[in-house]
Amino acid sequence: MGEEKRLIHITNSTDYEATGVVHHQSDSSEVDGFTIPAKKDWTGLHRGLFKLSAVLHLPDGKEERAHFEPGPSPNDYIIERGKLLTYTPVSIANNTRYRATGTVTYLSWFCDDDNYPAISPGGEWQASGRGECLVTKITATIRLETGDVQADPYESPGTSYSAFKVEEDSPGHFVVRRI
């Protein structure tokens, strides 16, 4: 029996044509381009972690960066216009007895990922900004005396949540969770 294919589904809710790309992070050379007419949908193959970017083509010949919102189910996204959102910057609390470092990955190609520096035990880190970037993944590397351990990451198809924590949920096993 063949492996079930996962799909990315994008709905253009605007009155304008949208063009963009799905950049697959598993292989930097994998990029799927799309053109979505006004009020129409596009579906493409899901190949692991990805970032989205798109522009809207306005009638006066100008282009405007499109805004993505999470859709009704995982891997569904809605393109909207005129929603200049600013989400609260991501903060990560280190609730372990060890130093932790990691990366915050954002959905849009227009958003730069944040690599956060070592957070001391009981300490907290906050991103300098976030704009309208949805979080898709947060990793943590825990610095034990015996070596580094990878925490189970927080993963989402795209969330606006901003408060997260790294904690030890059983001896030697660490996880990143939403607060």
Side-chain angles (χ1 to χ4, degrees):
M1 206 140 98
E3 185 178 316
E4 182 180 330
K5 292 183 180 179
R6 295 188 322 171
L7 301 175
I8 300 168
H9 183 81
I10 301 173
T11 300
N12 181 359
S13 70
T14 75
D15 293 325
Y16 309 101
E17 178 182 79
T19 58
V21 296
V22 179
H23 177 85
H24 301 277
Q25 293 180 306
S26 58
D27 178 352
S28 60
S29 65
E30 288 189 56
V31 176
D32 292 329
F34 59 82
T35 298
I36 310 172
K39 307 291 186 189
K40 298 290 183 184
D41 299 333
W42 176 88
T43 301
L45 188 60
H46 183 297
R47 296 190 288 263
L49 287 177
F50 60 89
K51 288 193 174 204
L52 299 173
S53 63
V55 293
L56 297 172
H57 301 279
L58 307 182
D60 59 5
K62 293 183 181 175
E63 293 182 343
E64 181 179 290
R65 187 170 116 187
H67 171 75
F68 288 92
E69 277 291 316
S73 61
N75 301 317
D76 282 356
Y77 299 93
I78 300 168
I79 295 176
E80 295 186 345
R81 179 174 186 231
K83 292 184 80 174
L84 297 177
L85 299 176
T86 302
Y87 296 120
T88 303
V90 171
S91 65
I92 301 171
N94 181 0
N95 294 344
T96 74
R97 298 173 289 140
Y98 310 97
R99 295 172 66 80
T101 63
T103 300
V104 179
T105 304
Y106 299 103
L107 176 66
S108 176
W109 185 250
F110 295 110
C111 302
D112 292 329
D113 297 340
D114 285 317
N115 294 310
Y116 60 90
I119 305 171
S120 298
E124 186 173 310
W125 168 85
Q126 184 173 31
S128 60
R130 179 171 172 190
E132 56 184 278
C133 302
L134 297 171
V135 174
T136 58
K137 186 175 184 179
I138 300 176
T139 64
T141 301
I142 311 304
R143 304 261 163 104
L144 303 177
E145 294 85 12
T146 57
D148 291 350
V149 173
Q150 297 301 313
D152 291 344
Y154 171 85
E155 293 183 288
S156 166
T159 185
S160 59
Y161 288 111
S162 60
F164 299 88
K165 62 185 174 182
V166 180
E167 62 186 4
E168 189 171 14
D169 67 346
S170 63
H173 184 259
F174 301 88
V175 65
V176 179
R177 290 194 171 105
R178 226 178 62 206
I179 295 177

